[in-house]
Amino acid sequence: MSRAMQCQGCLPWGSWAQLARSLAGSRGTRGVSVCAAAVPGELALCLCHPALGCVRYQGGSQDSSAQPGSSHHGQSQLRNVSFTGAIKKHQKSLSAWFSHQPNEERQFGPSFSLDAVHVDPVIRESSLEEVLKPSPDLTIQNQLQQPCRKVISLHNLFDADACGRPVKNVVLYGTVGTGKSTLIKKMVVDWCHGRLPHFELVIPFSCEDLSHSHAHVSLRRLVTKKYQHLRDVVPGLEASNLRVLFILNGLERLNLDFRLAGTELCCDPNEPVPPSAIVVNLLRKYLLPEASIIVTTRPSAVRRIPGKYVGRYAEICGFSDTNLQKLYFQMRLSQPGCSGEESQHRSSAEQENLVEMLSRNLERHNQITAACFLPSYCWLVCTTLHFLYFTRTVPPSQTLTGIYTSFLRLNFSGEVVDSTDPSHISMMKYVAKTVGKLAYEGVMSRKTCFSEEDLRQCFEVEMKTESELNLLEVFRSDVFRFFLSPCVQPGKEHTFVFTIPAMQEYLAALYVVLGEKKTLAQRVGKELSEVIGKVSEDVAVVVNIISKVLPLRFLPVLFNLLKIFPRYFSRVSGKDRDAIAHTMAQELFKEEDYYNDDVLDQINSSILGVEGPMRHPDEAPDDEVFELFPIFMGGILSRRNRAILEQLGCSIKNLAAFEIAKAMKKTVIRKGRRGLPPSELMDYLFFLHEFQNERFTAEAVRSLRAINLSSVKMTPLKCSVLASVMSTTGHEVEELNLTSCNLDSGSLRTLFPVLLRCKALHLQLNSLGSEACKEIRDLLLHDKCAVSSLRLANNPVGEQGARHLAEALAKNRSLRQLSLLHTALGDAGAEAIAQRLPENQHLQELNLGYTSLTDTAALRVVEVAKRHETLDKVHLYFNDISEDGKRALDSLRMDRDGVRALVFLTAGTDVSDYWSHILSVVQRNLPFWDRERVRQHLALLLQDLESSRSQTANPWRKAKFLRVESEVKKMLGKLQDGSL
C-alpha cells in the first residue's frame, strides 16, 4: 500500500484547514508526571550514545500474570551476585552516558542536570483510529480553555487496558519537537538511580543505529555488543523471568515487515537474524514474550506496527498548558548559573524580571504561547534569552544563527523524511526546499500569515510522482506543525504563521544560500549541463580510442564541442553567487527599515512582548520587518554553520561560500561605507559578527572611521559584538558616539580595547558613576590611549568619580577636550580636578558647566587654568555663582593670561562671543535637566543681560543685547508652555 493511501486518514490530502484543526486535537491542557528535559530531540543522535530524553517515571501496577518477574525464581536470580553486580555496572554505565548533555546545552548556557530542570508535559491516551483520523473540532485558541481528555501519566502506561487485558507493548508517538527523546532519556536515568523499581532491567536501543546494521545478529549478541556489562545476564533472560523493559526509540528509522513472508518467526535469542527481524519478533511477543516494550515514533510510522501487537497508544502533547510553559521558564531561567559568575549580585532581580515579562506575554495568548506547546521551542526561547541577556563575551561559536542551526540539528540530525522512500532525502533538505520557499516568498512579499492557497502553491503545485506525494504526506503528518501553526490573531484563525517569527527568516535565508531560488531555465540548464558533461567525457574517450584505428578525426572535435556547454554554464551559474550577494546587500540596507529597532531588540520584543496598552483589533498593524533575513544569510555561510548543515543534508560548498563572500565585497562593503542610522549600523555590525569571516570583517571595519550608535541600548551582548567585530583590525576610529546607550562599568570593561583606539569618545547620558570612572581612569592612563576628546555630560560622576578622573588627567598625554557638563561634581569634585590639573600638559578645553559649583570652586578652577600651559577655555555656566563671584571672575577674565572662562552670556558691557554656544547647549540638554532649575538660571541670565544693556551707550551693543534677550525670552516662553 502506498504511503499516500496509508496516511490519507491521518491528514486529508486536499485540506490544509483540517490540518490546523487537527493540531489541537493532539494536545491537552493538564500536566502529568512526565519530565521534559532542557534540551530537545537529542535521542536521535545518541540512544546508543546514551544522551537521550526525559521523564520522571514510577512504573505501573499490573497483575502477577502480566509481570511474572515477581516469582520466586526471578527473585533468586536477582540475589545472584553476578547478576546483581552486572546490572549495577549496567546502571552506572547508562547513567554516566545518558546524563551527558549535548554540546548545545553547554555552549549556549549553563549546563543543567536532568534532575535540575524538568517539567511534566501532557501525555494523552490515544488509539490507532485517532492517529489516522484526528479530531477536526479544536483550534489552538480553543485548546487553552478546554480540558484534555484521556490524560495518562507515564507510570500508568503499562496498566491493564479498559478490558482488563495486560499491556506489554506501548507505542508512544508525537510530532517532531514534542519531547519523545528527552522523555526516554530521563526515563533511563531514573531507572539508573533507582526511581523506576517496576523494571529490574532496562535495555534501550536506537532504531537509527539498528537501521545501519545489515549483518545478521542474534538478540543476545546485539545486547552484549551495545552493553558489555550484560554479557552474563543475557544468556539467562528467558529463564530468569527478569522484569525487562526494551526501549526502541525512533521506530520511523526502521523498515518493518510483519508479514510472515517478509519476516520469519524467531523465538531463539541466540539465532542470528536481521536487526529488523529481532524488533518484529519482540513486538510479536514471539521472542521474549514476557518482556515489556515501549516504542517511540513519529505519527506517520505508527501504522507500521499492526494494531493487534500494540497494547496501548499514547501521544506526547508537549506543554499544552501555559502553566507548564511558565513552570519550565521559571525553572530554567532561575538557575543560579544562568547569568554568569560576574553578575551574581544583580542576576536574581534580572532573572525574576525576565520570567515575569515572559509570563505576562504568555498570558496574553500571543503566538509565542502556541509555539511553546512544543518543549523544543521552550528550549529555543530560553537559549535565545540567555544569549540576549547573559552573554558577556561572544566566542565564534556563539551566534544567533548558530543557535538556530544547532536547534535544527538537535531536532533533525540524521532524520530522513521517509525511510521507506528510495531517495532517503534528509528532512532538513526537504524543509529547505518546501518550507524555505514559502518563507522566502513571505519575506519578499512582506507577509507572515499564509492562506491555504499559499500552502498549496508551495507544497503541492510541483507534485508529479507518487513518491513526491508520499513524502509530502509524511511531512504534513510529522513535521508541518513544527514550523507552521494556526495564527492566534482574531480574524486570522484560518491562516498559518511560522511557529517562531525568526524561523521564517532563517529558512528563507537557507533557501537562498542553498541555491534553491532558481528559475526553470536555471534548473534545466544545471541538469542538462551535468548530463552532457558526463556523457561527453565518456563518449570522447571511446571516440579517441576508435579514431586511432579508423580515420574519424572529426568526431573528437565534435564531442569536444559538447564540453563547452558545461564550462559555459558554470560561468553563468557564477552569476547566482552575485545574485545572492546582491540580495543580501539589498535586504541589509533597506532604507524603509533604517529607523526600526535593531534586530536584537526586535527578537527581544517578539519573545517578551511589548509593554504598554494592547493594540485595538481595528487598528492597522505595523508593516512586517524582516531585517534578520540578510543576517541569517551571512551567518549560514560561516564555516561552523555550514559544517552543521552538512550533517543535516544541506551542503554548502567552500567554493560557493568563497564566491559569495567575494561578490559581497562589491555590494555589502560598498553600501556599508555610507552613513547609517545608529540602529542600522548596529545591525550591520551584528551581520559582520554572524558572518564569522575575519578577513571580510576587517576590510569592512576599516572603512568605518566614525561609528554612531547613539540611543542604541548597548546590552552586554551588543558591547561584546562591537568589541569582537572591531578586534579584527587595529585602525584608529575618528569618533565613537555612545550617547544614551545604557552603558555601565561592565560595558566599558568589555569595550576597553575599542575605546583605546577612539579619538573622539561620546559617553553622555549613560548613568556612569564612580565605578565607571575607574574604568575611564584606566583607559586614560593606558600608554596606547588615543582619546583626545571625551564627553561625559549628564552622568552622575560625583565627587568620587571626579577624583578618579583627576588621577587620570595628571598623567594622560592624549586628551585635549574634557566635558563634565552636568555631572554633579560639586565644589569637592572641582577641587580634586583643580589639584591635579597642573600636572597635565595637554588639555585645551574643560567643561564644568552645571556641576553645582559655587564662587570658591569656580575661582579656584580659573586660577589654576590661568597657569596651565595649554588650557585656554573653561566652561562654568549654569553654576551657583553669585554676583560677587561674577565680578571676581570678570576681574580674572580681564587678566586671564589666555584663558577664556565661559560663565555668562555677557562679558562686562558686551555680549559674550559664546552666547549662542551656551544657549545651544542648554536647548540640547534640556530634556535631561531639571526644568525648574533651568528656568531659574535663564531668568538670572536675562536679568544680567538687561543690567549689562543698561550700562552701555553703544547702540550696536544694545542691539546685540536685545537680540540675545529675545532668544532667552523665547526659550523661557517655550519652557513654561511645555513646547521645549
Side-chain angles (χ1 to χ4, degrees):
M1 183 181 296
S2 71
R3 174 66 58 191
M5 294 179 63
Q6 290 178 9
C7 296
Q8 63 183 355
C10 180
L11 286 170
W13 164 243
S15 175
W16 291 94
Q18 194 160 356
L19 177 62
R21 294 191 293 269
S22 71
L23 246 168
S26 62
R27 301 187 178 119
T29 58
R30 290 167 45 205
V32 296
S33 52
V34 183
C35 308
V39 182
E42 184 63 14
L43 186 61
L45 284 175
C46 50
L47 193 54
C48 56
H49 307 284
L52 316 188
C54 142
V55 181
R56 183 170 299 281
Y57 185 91
Q58 297 296 329
S61 59
Q62 288 181 263
D63 58 24
S64 59
S65 63
Q67 298 293 339
S70 59
S71 67
H72 176 75
H73 183 64
Q75 293 299 328
S76 65
Q77 288 290 345
L78 279 178
R79 286 193 294 269
N80 184 284
V81 176
S82 62
F83 268 41
T84 304
I87 292 177
K88 289 292 184 184
K89 290 180 180 179
H90 178 58
Q91 288 178 323
K92 185 177 180 181
S93 176
L94 282 183
S95 177
W97 189 258
F98 278 54
S99 298
H100 176 72
Q101 297 286 10
N103 291 334
E104 286 76 10
E105 179 68 13
R106 299 189 300 273
Q107 177 182 339
F108 298 114
S111 182
F112 303 119
S113 68
L114 287 174
D115 293 329
V117 178
H118 65 268
V119 175
D120 301 342
V122 171
I123 297 181
R124 185 175 64 89
E125 187 170 4
S126 182
S127 65
L128 183 60
E129 290 73 20
E130 289 188 45
V131 175
L132 301 179
K133 201 171 185 179
S135 170
D137 299 325
L138 297 178
T139 65
I140 284 182
Q141 188 67 24
N142 294 336
Q143 110 182 42
L144 294 173
Q145 289 84 28
Q146 297 191 11
C148 180
R149 298 168 299 167
K150 303 179 184 177
V151 170
I152 185 172
S153 61
L154 194 63
H155 65 268
N156 296 127
L157 286 178
F158 288 96
D159 286 354
D161 63 14
C163 299
R165 292 172 299 200
V167 173
K168 287 292 188 179
N169 294 346
V170 173
V171 172
L172 191 63
Y173 70 92
T175 58
V176 174
T178 50
K180 301 183 296 296
S181 299
T182 46
L183 186 147
I184 295 301
K185 184 176 182 179
K186 186 61 166 58
M187 180 179 182
V188 173
V189 172
D190 277 350
W191 176 76
C192 294
H193 294 163
R195 295 192 291 268
L196 191 59
H198 190 66
F199 296 104
E200 296 163 338
L201 180 61
V202 171
I203 304 176
F205 284 116
S206 166
C207 293
E208 179 187 12
D209 181 48
L210 296 179
S211 69
H212 295 314
S213 177
H214 303 291
H216 287 211
V217 65
S218 66
L219 176 61
R220 174 180 177 179
R221 174 64 183 139
L222 184 62
V223 174
T224 56
K225 181 181 177 182
K226 303 300 179 185
Y227 308 106
Q228 294 183 2
H229 297 299
L230 298 180
R231 60 182 177 270
D232 295 330
V233 178
V234 173
L237 278 181
E238 281 191 298
S240 65
N241 289 326
L242 283 173
R243 296 193 297 273
V244 181
L245 173 65
F246 284 96
I247 299 175
L248 302 173
N249 185 68
L251 187 75
E252 67 276 357
R253 308 293 185 92
L254 285 176
N255 296 327
L256 303 182
D257 189 349
F258 281 81
R259 298 174 304 162
L260 290 177
T263 304
E264 63 180 348
L265 295 174
C266 175
C267 63
D268 184 2
N270 299 310
E271 180 181 350
V273 294
S276 60
I278 294 177
V279 173
V280 168
N281 282 289
L282 282 172
L283 291 169
R284 284 172 172 167
K285 291 304 168 192
Y286 204 74
L287 183 62
L288 298 185
E290 297 304 322
S292 299
I293 301 173
I294 186 167
V295 174
T296 67
T297 185
R298 301 195 312 237
S300 65
V302 169
R303 191 169 174 174
R304 293 185 189 178
I305 307 177
K308 62 183 178 180
Y309 298 127
V310 180
R312 175 169 283 119
Y313 293 92
E315 180 185 14
I316 305 177
C317 302
F319 299 152
S320 52
D321 185 352
T322 54
N323 290 325
L324 298 179
Q325 300 170 13
K326 291 180 185 179
L327 180 59
Y328 179 92
F329 293 129
Q330 176 73 36
M331 298 179 68
R332 178 71 189 233
L333 295 174
S334 299
Q335 288 295 306
C338 186
S339 58
E341 297 178 358
E342 297 182 3
S343 55
Q344 285 298 316
H345 62 284
R346 65 174 185 178
S347 63
S348 179
E350 191 168 16
Q351 288 170 285
E352 290 176 4
N353 184 50
L354 272 182
V355 173
E356 178 62 27
M357 292 178 67
L358 189 54
S359 296
R360 285 201 297 268
N361 202 25
L362 291 172
E363 288 169 359
R364 298 187 187 107
H365 295 168
N366 287 339
Q367 200 66 46
I368 190 175
T369 311
C372 291
F373 285 147
L374 297 176
S376 290
Y377 277 101
C378 292
W379 179 88
L380 179 60
V381 167
C382 287
T383 302
T384 305
L385 287 175
H386 184 274
F387 179 68
L388 292 175
Y389 281 88
F390 305 121
T391 300
R392 306 304 172 190
T393 58
V394 282
S397 59
Q398 287 203 8
T399 63
L400 186 66
T401 314
I403 289 176
Y404 276 76
T405 307
S406 298
F407 170 69
L408 294 174
R409 189 197 73 82
L410 285 169
N411 287 279
F412 294 101
S413 179
E415 294 275 0
V416 296
V417 181
D418 186 0
S419 62
T420 64
D421 188 83
S423 66
H424 289 285
I425 182 173
S426 76
M427 183 69 77
M428 202 59 233
K429 180 70 172 179
Y430 188 86
V431 168
K433 291 167 67 74
T434 54
V435 187
K437 179 183 178 183
L438 180 72
Y440 173 74
E441 292 182 356
V443 169
M444 291 296 101
S445 58
R446 300 304 242 206
K447 69 177 183 179
T448 57
C449 294
F450 302 93
S451 64
E452 292 184 46
E453 184 59 31
D454 295 327
L455 299 180
R456 289 195 188 96
Q457 289 295 322
C458 283
F459 290 95
E460 299 180 10
V461 166
E462 298 183 5
M463 295 291 104
K464 298 176 182 177
T465 66
E466 180 75 6
S467 175
E468 290 175 335
L469 179 60
N470 293 339
L471 291 176
L472 179 59
E473 288 297 341
V474 173
F475 170 78
R476 293 167 69 183
S477 172
D478 297 348
V479 188
F480 178 84
R481 66 189 67 181
F482 183 86
F483 292 103
L484 291 157
S485 59
C487 184
V488 300
Q489 295 180 18
K492 296 184 179 180
E493 292 85 354
H494 300 292
T495 62
F496 291 86
V497 296
F498 277 83
T499 309
I500 290 287
M503 187 60 74
Q504 177 180 354
E505 298 176 77
Y506 181 93
L507 293 178
L510 184 60
Y511 176 77
V512 174
V513 173
L514 285 176
E516 297 295 337
K517 187 176 75 72
K518 289 186 176 72
T519 63
L520 178 61
Q522 287 174 323
R523 288 197 294 268
V524 172
K526 182 180 180 182
E527 294 173 2
L528 186 61
S529 171
E530 292 174 352
V531 171
I532 292 177
K534 293 176 181 178
V535 171
S536 63
E537 289 177 4
D538 297 338
V539 174
V541 170
V542 174
V543 172
N544 282 332
I545 295 173
I546 296 175
S547 66
K548 293 179 181 180
V549 180
L550 300 175
L552 302 174
R553 299 183 181 278
F554 67 94
L555 288 179
V557 176
L558 177 62
F559 285 103
N560 282 332
L561 290 175
L562 292 175
K563 297 180 181 180
I564 296 176
F565 183 81
R567 294 172 187 168
Y568 172 76
F569 183 80
S570 66
R571 293 180 181 177
V572 174
S573 64
K575 299 294 183 181
D576 293 344
R577 320 294 191 214
D578 294 337
I580 292 174
H582 177 74
T583 300
M584 201 178 302
Q586 187 179 26
E587 294 296 322
L588 188 61
F589 300 109
K590 273 197 170 182
E591 292 188 5
E592 56 263 40
D593 296 335
Y594 268 13
Y595 298 99
N596 297 326
D597 291 339
D598 63 79
V599 291
L600 294 175
D601 283 349
Q602 291 176 29
I603 296 171
N604 183 67
S605 298
S606 71
I607 295 175
L608 299 180
V610 179
E611 295 296 319
M614 297 183 66
R615 184 189 299 275
H616 191 275
D618 297 332
E619 186 179 348
D622 296 332
D623 292 336
E624 300 294 347
V625 177
F626 297 97
E627 293 183 88
L628 268 175
F629 169 56
I631 293 174
F632 277 143
M633 288 178 68
I636 287 171
L637 288 170
S638 71
R639 183 180 298 276
R640 180 181 178 278
N641 286 317
R642 283 190 286 119
I644 297 176
L645 288 169
E646 181 76 30
Q647 300 172 19
L648 297 174
C650 299
S651 178
I652 304 171
K653 302 300 182 184
N654 288 333
L655 180 60
F658 173 77
E659 290 177 347
I660 294 172
K662 185 178 178 181
M664 285 166 56
K665 291 183 180 180
K666 306 173 186 176
T667 54
V668 174
I669 293 180
R670 176 170 51 82
K671 291 188 177 183
R673 292 192 181 103
R674 301 181 305 182
L676 297 173
S679 62
E680 197 71 12
L681 178 57
M682 187 67 241
D683 290 346
Y684 182 46
L685 295 172
F686 189 59
F687 165 81
L688 295 175
H689 167 70
E690 293 283 313
F691 192 33
Q692 292 292 304
N693 186 321
E694 190 169 336
R695 291 178 61 186
F696 181 92
T697 301
E699 187 171 342
V701 167
R702 273 193 291 269
S703 65
L704 298 176
R705 293 294 176 180
I707 301 175
N708 180 11
L709 296 174
S710 60
S711 300
V712 173
K713 185 179 180 181
M714 295 298 291
T715 62
L717 172 61
K718 294 177 190 176
C719 291
S720 298
V721 167
L722 176 58
S724 175
V725 169
M726 296 299 294
S727 67
T728 57
T729 179
H731 79 287
E732 284 191 350
V733 179
E734 294 294 331
E735 182 180 7
L736 176 60
N737 190 343
L738 296 175
T739 300
S740 189
C741 289
N742 291 81
L743 300 180
D744 56 17
S745 57
S747 306
L748 297 180
R749 198 175 304 118
T750 302
L751 293 171
F752 192 91
V754 181
L755 303 181
L756 277 177
R757 296 151 44 192
C758 299
K759 292 184 178 179
L761 184 56
H762 301 266
L763 299 177
Q764 305 97 300
L765 293 164
N766 279 297
S767 301
L768 300 177
S770 59
E771 287 299 315
C773 288
K774 288 182 181 179
E775 302 297 329
I776 297 173
R777 174 198 63 191
D778 296 341
L779 172 71
L780 295 176
L781 291 177
H782 199 281
D783 57 355
K784 293 184 179 179
C785 178
V787 178
S788 61
S789 175
L790 176 61
R791 298 183 181 276
L792 288 169
N794 300 304
N795 283 297
V797 172
E799 176 186 345
Q800 189 58 43
R803 297 186 185 280
H804 296 315
L805 295 176
E807 182 182 348
L809 276 177
K811 298 180 181 179
N812 176 269
R813 293 177 296 178
S814 64
L815 198 61
R816 301 294 182 269
Q817 298 174 325
L818 175 61
S819 174
L820 297 174
L821 175 70
H822 191 222
T823 50
L825 299 184
D827 286 354
E831 176 62 28
I833 290 177
Q835 286 179 359
R836 305 301 297 268
L837 194 56
E839 300 176 51
N840 179 281
Q841 304 297 320
H842 306 281
L843 193 65
Q844 297 175 357
E845 183 175 353
L846 177 63
N847 190 335
L848 298 178
Y850 201 177
T851 51
S852 303
L853 304 188
T854 59
D855 297 354
T856 304
L859 289 169
R860 168 77 169 133
V861 169
V862 175
E863 287 173 353
V864 172
K866 284 176 56 180
R867 298 189 294 271
H868 198 279
E869 294 182 4
T870 59
L871 188 61
D872 67 346
K873 189 184 295 184
V874 179
H875 301 250
L876 293 171
Y877 39 80
F878 271 64
N879 279 302
D880 302 326
I881 300 174
S882 65
E883 285 296 323
D884 293 336
K886 178 193 172 184
R887 286 191 289 270
L889 288 171
D890 277 342
S891 65
L892 287 174
R893 181 189 62 81
M894 298 299 295
D895 185 26
R896 66 181 186 274
D897 295 333
V899 176
R900 289 169 288 179
L902 282 63
V903 185
F904 293 97
L905 301 180
T906 60
T909 57
D910 199 358
V911 174
S912 170
D913 294 337
Y914 302 99
W915 70 268
S916 60
H917 171 77
I918 295 174
L919 290 183
S920 67
V921 169
V922 173
Q923 188 163 359
R924 191 164 57 245
N925 290 278
L926 191 57
F928 322 108
W929 289 359
D930 182 348
R931 287 176 172 263
E932 179 59 27
R933 185 171 179 182
V934 171
R935 190 191 64 77
Q936 294 174 2
H937 275 286
L938 288 176
L940 290 174
L941 291 176
L942 184 61
Q943 292 178 11
D944 183 58
L945 285 168
E946 292 172 346
S947 174
S948 298
R949 175 166 56 85
S950 64
Q951 296 175 18
T952 182
N954 187 316
W956 175 246
R957 290 183 177 179
K958 284 184 178 290
K960 289 172 63 179
F961 275 115
L962 289 172
R963 179 190 173 190
V964 178
E965 287 175 30
S966 67
E967 293 292 332
V968 175
K969 290 178 180 178
K970 187 186 301 183
M971 191 175 293
L972 274 170
K974 290 182 178 180
L975 189 62
Q976 289 174 352
D977 60 24
S979 60
L980 187 63

